[in-house]
Amino acid sequence: VQPVASTYGELCRRSQYARLRHRFRFRQSRLRLVRLMLFHPAEIPEEAVEALRPAFEKFGLEGAEYTPEYWVQRCRDDTAQLWRSDDGLYWGVTSMFDSARGRVFHKVASAGVFNDNARKLYAEGDEWAKSHGCKLTRTEGRPGWAKLLSDWKIVAVTLEKEL
């Protein structure tokens, strides 16, 4: 049994070849490589902050943890993950944490056009999380998400009132 890896780099090194072998899509010399829609921390583009900004602005929450700059920096620090759909129209930020019910894959924020490529991104993220020991996937969002993610169940509700 291997110990739980703590960073994206360790996670990918341990599982990219062994666990996602069936997802290989191209070859480089004699090695097969996985084409994930997940960015390596050293390769995060500058455009990520602006691409994710709408996700954070719609909620209007205040504080450092509610900004795209904060989450993109966490991705660069290797404590969160940055995803982009194949067509580049949908972006997402995720993290993992341990809870009483097991390791949780937290879809923190996403922005862009939710099309078939975005659905593939969600499925790929879930597969990646499962291969890294996650038992649950969790996200927060506007009420319309419940219709788009029909195989999810609502476990909490956030209420707001102006004073």
Side-chain angles (χ1 to χ4, degrees):
V1 175
Q2 292 182 335
V4 174
S6 60
T7 65
Y8 164 83
E10 284 182 72
L11 291 171
C12 281
R13 281 190 294 277
R14 289 185 185 172
S15 69
Q16 188 176 31
Y17 186 78
R19 294 185 183 155
L20 298 176
R21 186 168 299 166
H22 64 285
R23 299 284 307 221
F24 295 160
R25 296 184 186 163
F26 57 89
R27 292 177 185 249
Q28 182 177 0
S29 67
R30 299 189 86 195
L31 296 174
R32 289 179 149 190
L33 301 174
V34 172
R35 188 183 168 281
L36 289 173
M37 294 180 263
L38 174 63
F39 283 95
H40 185 278
E43 298 170 353
I44 293 173
E46 291 300 320
E47 66 187 286
V49 171
E50 290 310 313
L52 289 166
R53 190 169 303 285
F56 292 93
E57 288 177 348
K58 285 183 181 175
F59 281 106
L61 301 172
E62 309 240 344
E65 66 274 13
Y66 298 112
T67 66
E69 291 86 0
Y70 171 82
W71 282 98
V72 169
Q73 186 57 50
R74 281 200 54 190
C75 294
R76 288 184 175 126
D77 294 341
D78 209 9
T79 59
Q81 302 82 39
L82 178 68
W83 303 79
R84 182 178 62 192
S85 63
D86 277 341
D87 60 8
L89 298 176
Y90 195 77
W91 293 72
V93 175
T94 62
S95 67
M96 291 186 292
F97 63 89
D98 294 319
S99 73
R101 294 177 58 198
R103 180 164 277 188
V104 177
F105 184 55
H106 184 207
K107 295 179 178 180
V108 176
S110 59
V113 178
F114 195 80
N115 57 19
D116 288 339
N117 286 316
R119 288 186 190 283
K120 282 195 278 184
L121 180 67
Y122 262 64
E124 181 133 344
D126 289 345
E127 185 177 321
W128 182 88
K130 192 188 276 189
S131 75
H132 291 92
C134 292
K135 304 292 183 210
L136 300 167
T137 298
R138 185 175 292 165
T139 191
E140 297 84 26
R142 297 184 318 263
W145 277 107
K147 295 174 194 160
L148 288 173
L149 304 174
S150 58
D151 56 337
W152 292 52
K153 67 177 183 175
I154 297 173
V155 295
V157 176
T158 301
L159 302 172
E160 180 177 273
K161 175 182 162 184
E162 286 194 37
L163 300 176

